[in-house]
Amino acid sequence: MSNDQVFREQARVLDADLSGSATTAGADALLTEILLLDRTPAPAPAARWRRRGPTPSRLMLGLAASVVLAGSLVVGPSLFRESGQVYASQAVTIDRDGDEYVFYITDGDSDPQELQRALDKVGLGNVKVELMPVSPRERHPVVGWEDSDPDSRMVSGLSDCKVRVEGCLTEFRITADTEGPATLSLGRPAKPGEKYESPIDATLPGEVMAGTRIGGLTVAEAAPVVREHGLKVEYELRWPLHEGVGYKVEGPVPASRVDPGWKVAEGETYNDGVIILSIEPAQGVTPPPGY
């Protein structure tokens, strides 16, 4: 059975029913039911973005066509599951999920004004949008967050948001009742020589160590390679989580805590003359408290 046949058998409102009108009684009834359904909150993805500087730790976790019913409201793949969609445009779609708003970004060219309009529409006008420099080689939108409300949060990640919204590039969540001023930062391509706000693999084409192999080398092998490029070395340690999925990062750490025989997972850069070597401690090494 084709996908078209499956959709036709399960859908209660078809394209033919909507022809010639912005909405129909059947469409209105379906839309009302969709918006009133309760949703089971899904685990929020971990934030990938981080600013340059000492950080106690960070957590890294393993990471359709639409029917327009009225105005900017779009019902996509969620037609066949619980949905809390409250806003949609060409660049951003917003769901209400429990006490959070979930933003799905579908436009790779960051437009702070477009996102600001979306925030205003859902009552988050106290959240201001700004652009921050990231590597031109960054393949996914980068999002940062600063706020004065201890009860609010923003989490983002590279989840499979395309399942929810066609063409989705990334998603992030913001506490719905965020109070006080907050700033949401979106990545923009950095100018030549400009420092990045978010790190990237230093061996990618166009970066300072393009084409150089770092991942898989020992610390003793990788550090001299970095210095041969006229760059400084910093270290961070990746401690596996107890569940066995993902890791928690400690860093920067002094070279005295790094065994020369440990393996390097990757080398990252902020385009500031320093390469951060992410190190995987040998099995059996005891992590410090909290890791």
Side-chain angles (χ1 to χ4, degrees), residues 9 29 37 65-67 78 83 89 100 103 114-115 153 164 172 189 207 220 240 242 244 255 289:
E9 288 187 4
L37 284 172
S66 301
V67 179
S78 61
S83 171
S89 70
E100 297 175 325
F103 293 73
E114 170 65 18
L115 186 51
R153 63 177 179 172
R164 171 63 186 88
F172 58 90
E207 298 299 338
H242 297 300

mmCIF file with all atom_site columns, all heavy atoms in Angstrom, residues 9 29 37 65-67 78 83 89 100 103 114-115 153 164 172 189 207 220 240 242 244 255 289:
data_model
loop_
_atom_site.group_PDB
_atom_site.id
_atom_site.type_symbol
_atom_site.label_atom_id
_atom_site.label_alt_id
_atom_site.label_comp_id
_atom_site.label_asym_id
_atom_site.label_entity_id
_atom_site.label_seq_id
_atom_site.pdbx_PDB_ins_code
_atom_site.Cartn_x
_atom_site.Cartn_y
_atom_site.Cartn_z
_atom_site.occupancy
_atom_site.B_iso_or_equiv
_atom_site.pdbx_formal_charge
_atom_site.auth_seq_id
_atom_site.auth_comp_id
_atom_site.auth_asym_id
_atom_site.auth_atom_id
_atom_site.pdbx_PDB_model_num
ATOM 1   N N   . GLU A 1 9   ? -6.616  6.883  3.911  1.00 0.00 ? 9   GLU A N   1
ATOM 2   C CA  . GLU A 1 9   ? -7.464  6.063  4.769  1.00 0.00 ? 9   GLU A CA  1
ATOM 3   C C   . GLU A 1 9   ? -7.539  6.607  6.181  1.00 0.00 ? 9   GLU A C   1
ATOM 4   O O   . GLU A 1 9   ? -8.553  6.503  6.855  1.00 0.00 ? 9   GLU A O   1
ATOM 5   C CB  . GLU A 1 9   ? -6.937  4.625  4.806  1.00 0.00 ? 9   GLU A CB  1
ATOM 6   C CG  . GLU A 1 9   ? -7.189  3.875  3.491  1.00 0.00 ? 9   GLU A CG  1
ATOM 7   C CD  . GLU A 1 9   ? -6.813  2.419  3.616  1.00 0.00 ? 9   GLU A CD  1
ATOM 8   O OE1 . GLU A 1 9   ? -6.446  1.996  4.733  1.00 0.00 ? 9   GLU A OE1 1
ATOM 9   O OE2 . GLU A 1 9   ? -6.891  1.684  2.610  1.00 0.00 ? 9   GLU A OE2 1
ATOM 10  N N   . ALA A 1 29  ? -12.759 21.354 13.202 1.00 0.00 ? 29  ALA A N   1
ATOM 11  C CA  . ALA A 1 29  ? -12.941 20.367 14.273 1.00 0.00 ? 29  ALA A CA  1
ATOM 12  C C   . ALA A 1 29  ? -11.673 19.581 14.506 1.00 0.00 ? 29  ALA A C   1
ATOM 13  O O   . ALA A 1 29  ? -11.269 19.321 15.637 1.00 0.00 ? 29  ALA A O   1
ATOM 14  C CB  . ALA A 1 29  ? -14.104 19.427 13.909 1.00 0.00 ? 29  ALA A CB  1
ATOM 15  N N   . LEU A 1 37  ? -5.080  18.195 22.531 1.00 0.00 ? 37  LEU A N   1
ATOM 16  C CA  . LEU A 1 37  ? -4.510  16.942 23.005 1.00 0.00 ? 37  LEU A CA  1
ATOM 17  C C   . LEU A 1 37  ? -3.389  17.190 23.994 1.00 0.00 ? 37  LEU A C   1
ATOM 18  O O   . LEU A 1 37  ? -2.593  18.100 23.841 1.00 0.00 ? 37  LEU A O   1
ATOM 19  C CB  . LEU A 1 37  ? -3.948  16.141 21.817 1.00 0.00 ? 37  LEU A CB  1
ATOM 20  C CG  . LEU A 1 37  ? -4.992  15.423 20.938 1.00 0.00 ? 37  LEU A CG  1
ATOM 21  C CD1 . LEU A 1 37  ? -4.300  14.847 19.705 1.00 0.00 ? 37  LEU A CD1 1
ATOM 22  C CD2 . LEU A 1 37  ? -5.709  14.334 21.706 1.00 0.00 ? 37  LEU A CD2 1
ATOM 23  N N   . ALA A 1 65  ? 5.364   16.356 4.025  1.00 0.00 ? 65  ALA A N   1
ATOM 24  C CA  . ALA A 1 65  ? 4.558   17.439 3.435  1.00 0.00 ? 65  ALA A CA  1
ATOM 25  C C   . ALA A 1 65  ? 3.589   17.987 4.456  1.00 0.00 ? 65  ALA A C   1
ATOM 26  O O   . ALA A 1 65  ? 3.130   17.276 5.333  1.00 0.00 ? 65  ALA A O   1
ATOM 27  C CB  . ALA A 1 65  ? 3.792   16.921 2.221  1.00 0.00 ? 65  ALA A CB  1
ATOM 28  N N   . SER A 1 66  ? 3.226   19.286 4.333  1.00 0.00 ? 66  SER A N   1
ATOM 29  C CA  . SER A 1 66  ? 2.360   19.940 5.293  1.00 0.00 ? 66  SER A CA  1
ATOM 30  C C   . SER A 1 66  ? 1.029   20.316 4.666  1.00 0.00 ? 66  SER A C   1
ATOM 31  O O   . SER A 1 66  ? 0.920   20.511 3.481  1.00 0.00 ? 66  SER A O   1
ATOM 32  C CB  . SER A 1 66  ? 3.031   21.210 5.841  1.00 0.00 ? 66  SER A CB  1
ATOM 33  O OG  . SER A 1 66  ? 4.259   20.890 6.462  1.00 0.00 ? 66  SER A OG  1
ATOM 34  N N   . VAL A 1 67  ? -0.006  20.429 5.520  1.00 0.00 ? 67  VAL A N   1
ATOM 35  C CA  . VAL A 1 67  ? -1.320  20.872 5.099  1.00 0.00 ? 67  VAL A CA  1
ATOM 36  C C   . VAL A 1 67  ? -1.607  22.184 5.785  1.00 0.00 ? 67  VAL A C   1
ATOM 37  O O   . VAL A 1 67  ? -1.679  22.259 7.002  1.00 0.00 ? 67  VAL A O   1
ATOM 38  C CB  . VAL A 1 67  ? -2.404  19.840 5.490  1.00 0.00 ? 67  VAL A CB  1
ATOM 39  C CG1 . VAL A 1 67  ? -3.776  20.346 5.055  1.00 0.00 ? 67  VAL A CG1 1
ATOM 40  C CG2 . VAL A 1 67  ? -2.105  18.488 4.871  1.00 0.00 ? 67  VAL A CG2 1
ATOM 41  N N   . SER A 1 78  ? 2.648   15.734 12.457 1.00 0.00 ? 78  SER A N   1
ATOM 42  C CA  . SER A 1 78  ? 1.963   15.588 13.739 1.00 0.00 ? 78  SER A CA  1
ATOM 43  C C   . SER A 1 78  ? 0.486   15.271 13.554 1.00 0.00 ? 78  SER A C   1
ATOM 44  O O   . SER A 1 78  ? -0.223  15.054 14.528 1.00 0.00 ? 78  SER A O   1
ATOM 45  C CB  . SER A 1 78  ? 2.112   16.875 14.553 1.00 0.00 ? 78  SER A CB  1
ATOM 46  O OG  . SER A 1 78  ? 1.529   17.963 13.852 1.00 0.00 ? 78  SER A OG  1
ATOM 47  N N   . SER A 1 83  ? -0.079  16.604 19.248 1.00 0.00 ? 83  SER A N   1
ATOM 48  C CA  . SER A 1 83  ? 0.617   17.798 18.820 1.00 0.00 ? 83  SER A CA  1
ATOM 49  C C   . SER A 1 83  ? 0.196   18.981 19.649 1.00 0.00 ? 83  SER A C   1
ATOM 50  O O   . SER A 1 83  ? -0.952  19.092 20.063 1.00 0.00 ? 83  SER A O   1
ATOM 51  C CB  . SER A 1 83  ? 0.322   18.074 17.336 1.00 0.00 ? 83  SER A CB  1
ATOM 52  O OG  . SER A 1 83  ? 0.835   19.333 16.964 1.00 0.00 ? 83  SER A OG  1
ATOM 53  N N   . SER A 1 89  ? 5.930   29.310 10.580 1.00 0.00 ? 89  SER A N   1
ATOM 54  C CA  . SER A 1 89  ? 6.225   30.170 9.438  1.00 0.00 ? 89  SER A CA  1
ATOM 55  C C   . SER A 1 89  ? 7.240   29.428 8.591  1.00 0.00 ? 89  SER A C   1
ATOM 56  O O   . SER A 1 89  ? 7.603   28.290 8.889  1.00 0.00 ? 89  SER A O   1
ATOM 57  C CB  . SER A 1 89  ? 6.778   31.528 9.902  1.00 0.00 ? 89  SER A CB  1
ATOM 58  O OG  . SER A 1 89  ? 8.079   31.369 10.450 1.00 0.00 ? 89  SER A OG  1
ATOM 59  N N   . GLU A 1 100 ? 7.227   23.865 28.317 1.00 0.00 ? 100 GLU A N   1
ATOM 60  C CA  . GLU A 1 100 ? 8.243   24.374 27.401 1.00 0.00 ? 100 GLU A CA  1
ATOM 61  C C   . GLU A 1 100 ? 7.649   24.670 26.027 1.00 0.00 ? 100 GLU A C   1
ATOM 62  O O   . GLU A 1 100 ? 6.656   24.067 25.620 1.00 0.00 ? 100 GLU A O   1
ATOM 63  C CB  . GLU A 1 100 ? 9.385   23.365 27.230 1.00 0.00 ? 100 GLU A CB  1
ATOM 64  C CG  . GLU A 1 100 ? 10.160  23.055 28.489 1.00 0.00 ? 100 GLU A CG  1
ATOM 65  C CD  . GLU A 1 100 ? 11.187  21.979 28.264 1.00 0.00 ? 100 GLU A CD  1
ATOM 66  O OE1 . GLU A 1 100 ? 10.922  21.049 27.464 1.00 0.00 ? 100 GLU A OE1 1
ATOM 67  O OE2 . GLU A 1 100 ? 12.256  22.053 28.879 1.00 0.00 ? 100 GLU A OE2 1
ATOM 68  N N   . PHE A 1 103 ? 11.130  24.953 19.597 1.00 0.00 ? 103 PHE A N   1
ATOM 69  C CA  . PHE A 1 103 ? 11.335  25.704 18.360 1.00 0.00 ? 103 PHE A CA  1
ATOM 70  C C   . PHE A 1 103 ? 12.059  24.820 17.349 1.00 0.00 ? 103 PHE A C   1
ATOM 71  O O   . PHE A 1 103 ? 13.113  24.257 17.652 1.00 0.00 ? 103 PHE A O   1
ATOM 72  C CB  . PHE A 1 103 ? 12.175  26.956 18.624 1.00 0.00 ? 103 PHE A CB  1
ATOM 73  C CG  . PHE A 1 103 ? 11.484  27.992 19.468 1.00 0.00 ? 103 PHE A CG  1
ATOM 74  C CD1 . PHE A 1 103 ? 11.297  27.794 20.829 1.00 0.00 ? 103 PHE A CD1 1
ATOM 75  C CD2 . PHE A 1 103 ? 11.029  29.176 18.900 1.00 0.00 ? 103 PHE A CD2 1
ATOM 76  C CE1 . PHE A 1 103 ? 10.665  28.745 21.612 1.00 0.00 ? 103 PHE A CE1 1
ATOM 77  C CE2 . PHE A 1 103 ? 10.401  30.135 19.672 1.00 0.00 ? 103 PHE A CE2 1
ATOM 78  C CZ  . PHE A 1 103 ? 10.218  29.918 21.021 1.00 0.00 ? 103 PHE A CZ  1
ATOM 79  N N   . GLU A 1 114 ? 12.937  37.544 12.293 1.00 0.00 ? 114 GLU A N   1
ATOM 80  C CA  . GLU A 1 114 ? 11.923  36.511 12.122 1.00 0.00 ? 114 GLU A CA  1
ATOM 81  C C   . GLU A 1 114 ? 11.721  35.722 13.415 1.00 0.00 ? 114 GLU A C   1
ATOM 82  O O   . GLU A 1 114 ? 10.589  35.454 13.835 1.00 0.00 ? 114 GLU A O   1
ATOM 83  C CB  . GLU A 1 114 ? 12.319  35.562 10.982 1.00 0.00 ? 114 GLU A CB  1
ATOM 84  C CG  . GLU A 1 114 ? 11.457  34.311 10.869 1.00 0.00 ? 114 GLU A CG  1
ATOM 85  C CD  . GLU A 1 114 ? 10.010  34.605 10.513 1.00 0.00 ? 114 GLU A CD  1
ATOM 86  O OE1 . GLU A 1 114 ? 9.717   35.718 10.014 1.00 0.00 ? 114 GLU A OE1 1
ATOM 87  O OE2 . GLU A 1 114 ? 9.160   33.725 10.744 1.00 0.00 ? 114 GLU A OE2 1
ATOM 88  N N   . LEU A 1 115 ? 12.822  35.337 14.055 1.00 0.00 ? 115 LEU A N   1
ATOM 89  C CA  . LEU A 1 115 ? 12.706  34.592 15.300 1.00 0.00 ? 115 LEU A CA  1
ATOM 90  C C   . LEU A 1 115 ? 12.148  35.471 16.415 1.00 0.00 ? 115 LEU A C   1
ATOM 91  O O   . LEU A 1 115 ? 11.389  35.003 17.269 1.00 0.00 ? 115 LEU A O   1
ATOM 92  C CB  . LEU A 1 115 ? 14.066  34.023 15.708 1.00 0.00 ? 115 LEU A CB  1
ATOM 93  C CG  . LEU A 1 115 ? 14.063  33.096 16.928 1.00 0.00 ? 115 LEU A CG  1
ATOM 94  C CD1 . LEU A 1 115 ? 13.022  31.998 16.788 1.00 0.00 ? 115 LEU A CD1 1
ATOM 95  C CD2 . LEU A 1 115 ? 15.439  32.488 17.138 1.00 0.00 ? 115 LEU A CD2 1
ATOM 96  N N   . ARG A 1 153 ? 15.168  27.917 31.354 1.00 0.00 ? 153 ARG A N   1
ATOM 97  C CA  . ARG A 1 153 ? 16.255  27.169 30.723 1.00 0.00 ? 153 ARG A CA  1
ATOM 98  C C   . ARG A 1 153 ? 16.030  27.130 29.215 1.00 0.00 ? 153 ARG A C   1
ATOM 99  O O   . ARG A 1 153 ? 14.914  27.306 28.712 1.00 0.00 ? 153 ARG A O   1
ATOM 100 C CB  . ARG A 1 153 ? 16.318  25.739 31.254 1.00 0.00 ? 153 ARG A CB  1
ATOM 101 C CG  . ARG A 1 153 ? 15.069  24.924 30.953 1.00 0.00 ? 153 ARG A CG  1
ATOM 102 C CD  . ARG A 1 153 ? 15.208  23.502 31.430 1.00 0.00 ? 153 ARG A CD  1
ATOM 103 N NE  . ARG A 1 153 ? 14.000  22.738 31.154 1.00 0.00 ? 153 ARG A NE  1
ATOM 104 C CZ  . ARG A 1 153 ? 13.881  21.426 31.328 1.00 0.00 ? 153 ARG A CZ  1
ATOM 105 N NH1 . ARG A 1 153 ? 14.910  20.729 31.785 1.00 0.00 ? 153 ARG A NH1 1
ATOM 106 N NH2 . ARG A 1 153 ? 12.747  20.804 31.056 1.00 0.00 ? 153 ARG A NH2 1
ATOM 107 N N   . ARG A 1 164 ? 9.649   15.715 12.777 1.00 0.00 ? 164 ARG A N   1
ATOM 108 C CA  . ARG A 1 164 ? 8.558   16.589 13.213 1.00 0.00 ? 164 ARG A CA  1
ATOM 109 C C   . ARG A 1 164 ? 8.209   17.630 12.146 1.00 0.00 ? 164 ARG A C   1
ATOM 110 O O   . ARG A 1 164 ? 7.039   17.870 11.869 1.00 0.00 ? 164 ARG A O   1
ATOM 111 C CB  . ARG A 1 164 ? 8.944   17.294 14.526 1.00 0.00 ? 164 ARG A CB  1
ATOM 112 C CG  . ARG A 1 164 ? 7.982   18.399 14.964 1.00 0.00 ? 164 ARG A CG  1
ATOM 113 C CD  . ARG A 1 164 ? 6.591   17.860 15.248 1.00 0.00 ? 164 ARG A CD  1
ATOM 114 N NE  . ARG A 1 164 ? 5.677   18.953 15.527 1.00 0.00 ? 164 ARG A NE  1
ATOM 115 C CZ  . ARG A 1 164 ? 4.995   19.606 14.604 1.00 0.00 ? 164 ARG A CZ  1
ATOM 116 N NH1 . ARG A 1 164 ? 5.132   19.282 13.326 1.00 0.00 ? 164 ARG A NH1 1
ATOM 117 N NH2 . ARG A 1 164 ? 4.170   20.580 14.941 1.00 0.00 ? 164 ARG A NH2 1
ATOM 118 N N   . PHE A 1 172 ? 15.315  23.680 19.549 1.00 0.00 ? 172 PHE A N   1
ATOM 119 C CA  . PHE A 1 172 ? 15.673  24.037 20.913 1.00 0.00 ? 172 PHE A CA  1
ATOM 120 C C   . PHE A 1 172 ? 14.410  24.291 21.708 1.00 0.00 ? 172 PHE A C   1
ATOM 121 O O   . PHE A 1 172 ? 13.335  24.535 21.146 1.00 0.00 ? 172 PHE A O   1
ATOM 122 C CB  . PHE A 1 172 ? 16.610  25.252 20.960 1.00 0.00 ? 172 PHE A CB  1
ATOM 123 C CG  . PHE A 1 172 ? 16.068  26.493 20.311 1.00 0.00 ? 172 PHE A CG  1
ATOM 124 C CD1 . PHE A 1 172 ? 15.327  27.418 21.034 1.00 0.00 ? 172 PHE A CD1 1
ATOM 125 C CD2 . PHE A 1 172 ? 16.316  26.744 18.976 1.00 0.00 ? 172 PHE A CD2 1
ATOM 126 C CE1 . PHE A 1 172 ? 14.845  28.565 20.434 1.00 0.00 ? 172 PHE A CE1 1
ATOM 127 C CE2 . PHE A 1 172 ? 15.835  27.899 18.368 1.00 0.00 ? 172 PHE A CE2 1
ATOM 128 C CZ  . PHE A 1 172 ? 15.098  28.810 19.099 1.00 0.00 ? 172 PHE A CZ  1
ATOM 129 N N   . PRO A 1 189 ? 28.016  33.216 10.142 1.00 0.00 ? 189 PRO A N   1
ATOM 130 C CA  . PRO A 1 189 ? 29.388  32.946 9.700  1.00 0.00 ? 189 PRO A CA  1
ATOM 131 C C   . PRO A 1 189 ? 30.358  34.024 10.183 1.00 0.00 ? 189 PRO A C   1
ATOM 132 O O   . PRO A 1 189 ? 30.109  35.223 9.990  1.00 0.00 ? 189 PRO A O   1
ATOM 133 C CB  . PRO A 1 189 ? 29.267  32.952 8.173  1.00 0.00 ? 189 PRO A CB  1
ATOM 134 C CG  . PRO A 1 189 ? 27.838  32.623 7.906  1.00 0.00 ? 189 PRO A CG  1
ATOM 135 C CD  . PRO A 1 189 ? 27.064  33.255 9.017  1.00 0.00 ? 189 PRO A CD  1
ATOM 136 N N   . GLU A 1 207 ? 39.642  25.143 8.087  1.00 0.00 ? 207 GLU A N   1
ATOM 137 C CA  . GLU A 1 207 ? 40.037  25.436 9.462  1.00 0.00 ? 207 GLU A CA  1
ATOM 138 C C   . GLU A 1 207 ? 41.566  25.356 9.596  1.00 0.00 ? 207 GLU A C   1
ATOM 139 O O   . GLU A 1 207 ? 42.272  24.968 8.670  1.00 0.00 ? 207 GLU A O   1
ATOM 140 C CB  . GLU A 1 207 ? 39.352  24.481 10.437 1.00 0.00 ? 207 GLU A CB  1
ATOM 141 C CG  . GLU A 1 207 ? 37.830  24.582 10.442 1.00 0.00 ? 207 GLU A CG  1
ATOM 142 C CD  . GLU A 1 207 ? 37.328  25.963 10.837 1.00 0.00 ? 207 GLU A CD  1
ATOM 143 O OE1 . GLU A 1 207 ? 38.071  26.718 11.488 1.00 0.00 ? 207 GLU A OE1 1
ATOM 144 O OE2 . GLU A 1 207 ? 36.175  26.296 10.486 1.00 0.00 ? 207 GLU A OE2 1
ATOM 145 N N   . ALA A 1 220 ? 50.701  12.054 23.229 1.00 0.00 ? 220 ALA A N   1
ATOM 146 C CA  . ALA A 1 220 ? 52.115  12.262 22.913 1.00 0.00 ? 220 ALA A CA  1
ATOM 147 C C   . ALA A 1 220 ? 52.325  12.481 21.417 1.00 0.00 ? 220 ALA A C   1
ATOM 148 O O   . ALA A 1 220 ? 53.239  13.206 21.000 1.00 0.00 ? 220 ALA A O   1
ATOM 149 C CB  . ALA A 1 220 ? 52.938  11.072 23.391 1.00 0.00 ? 220 ALA A CB  1
ATOM 150 N N   . PRO A 1 240 ? 33.026  8.901  30.479 1.00 0.00 ? 240 PRO A N   1
ATOM 151 C CA  . PRO A 1 240 ? 31.802  8.211  30.045 1.00 0.00 ? 240 PRO A CA  1
ATOM 152 C C   . PRO A 1 240 ? 30.719  8.292  31.119 1.00 0.00 ? 240 PRO A C   1
ATOM 153 O O   . PRO A 1 240 ? 31.001  8.215  32.318 1.00 0.00 ? 240 PRO A O   1
ATOM 154 C CB  . PRO A 1 240 ? 32.262  6.766  29.829 1.00 0.00 ? 240 PRO A CB  1
ATOM 155 C CG  . PRO A 1 240 ? 33.745  6.848  29.662 1.00 0.00 ? 240 PRO A CG  1
ATOM 156 C CD  . PRO A 1 240 ? 34.189  7.985  30.524 1.00 0.00 ? 240 PRO A CD  1
ATOM 157 N N   . HIS A 1 242 ? 27.477  6.919  33.266 1.00 0.00 ? 242 HIS A N   1
ATOM 158 C CA  . HIS A 1 242 ? 27.224  5.593  33.856 1.00 0.00 ? 242 HIS A CA  1
ATOM 159 C C   . HIS A 1 242 ? 26.321  4.743  32.969 1.00 0.00 ? 242 HIS A C   1
ATOM 160 O O   . HIS A 1 242 ? 26.426  3.531  32.924 1.00 0.00 ? 242 HIS A O   1
ATOM 161 C CB  . HIS A 1 242 ? 26.596  5.755  35.240 1.00 0.00 ? 242 HIS A CB  1
ATOM 162 C CG  . HIS A 1 242 ? 27.482  6.444  36.226 1.00 0.00 ? 242 HIS A CG  1
ATOM 163 N ND1 . HIS A 1 242 ? 28.714  5.949  36.591 1.00 0.00 ? 242 HIS A ND1 1
ATOM 164 C CD2 . HIS A 1 242 ? 27.325  7.596  36.921 1.00 0.00 ? 242 HIS A CD2 1
ATOM 165 C CE1 . HIS A 1 242 ? 29.292  6.763  37.474 1.00 0.00 ? 242 HIS A CE1 1
ATOM 166 N NE2 . HIS A 1 242 ? 28.460  7.776  37.684 1.00 0.00 ? 242 HIS A NE2 1
ATOM 167 N N   . GLY A 1 244 ? 26.409  4.567  29.886 1.00 0.00 ? 244 GLY A N   1
ATOM 168 C CA  . GLY A 1 244 ? 27.152  4.089  28.733 1.00 0.00 ? 244 GLY A CA  1
ATOM 169 C C   . GLY A 1 244 ? 26.857  4.817  27.443 1.00 0.00 ? 244 GLY A C   1
ATOM 170 O O   . GLY A 1 244 ? 27.393  4.468  26.394 1.00 0.00 ? 244 GLY A O   1
ATOM 171 N N   . ALA A 1 255 ? 48.102  19.941 31.792 1.00 0.00 ? 255 ALA A N   1
ATOM 172 C CA  . ALA A 1 255 ? 48.780  18.829 31.127 1.00 0.00 ? 255 ALA A CA  1
ATOM 173 C C   . ALA A 1 255 ? 49.235  17.773 32.121 1.00 0.00 ? 255 ALA A C   1
ATOM 174 O O   . ALA A 1 255 ? 49.353  16.592 31.772 1.00 0.00 ? 255 ALA A O   1
ATOM 175 C CB  . ALA A 1 255 ? 49.972  19.353 30.331 1.00 0.00 ? 255 ALA A CB  1
ATOM 176 N N   . PRO A 1 289 ? 35.191  13.520 41.566 1.00 0.00 ? 289 PRO A N   1
ATOM 177 C CA  . PRO A 1 289 ? 33.785  13.611 42.027 1.00 0.00 ? 289 PRO A CA  1
ATOM 178 C C   . PRO A 1 289 ? 32.947  14.460 41.087 1.00 0.00 ? 289 PRO A C   1
ATOM 179 O O   . PRO A 1 289 ? 33.393  15.491 40.604 1.00 0.00 ? 289 PRO A O   1
ATOM 180 C CB  . PRO A 1 289 ? 33.933  14.269 43.408 1.00 0.00 ? 289 PRO A CB  1
ATOM 181 C CG  . PRO A 1 289 ? 35.318  13.898 43.864 1.00 0.00 ? 289 PRO A CG  1
ATOM 182 C CD  . PRO A 1 289 ? 36.155  13.900 42.629 1.00 0.00 ? 289 PRO A CD  1
#
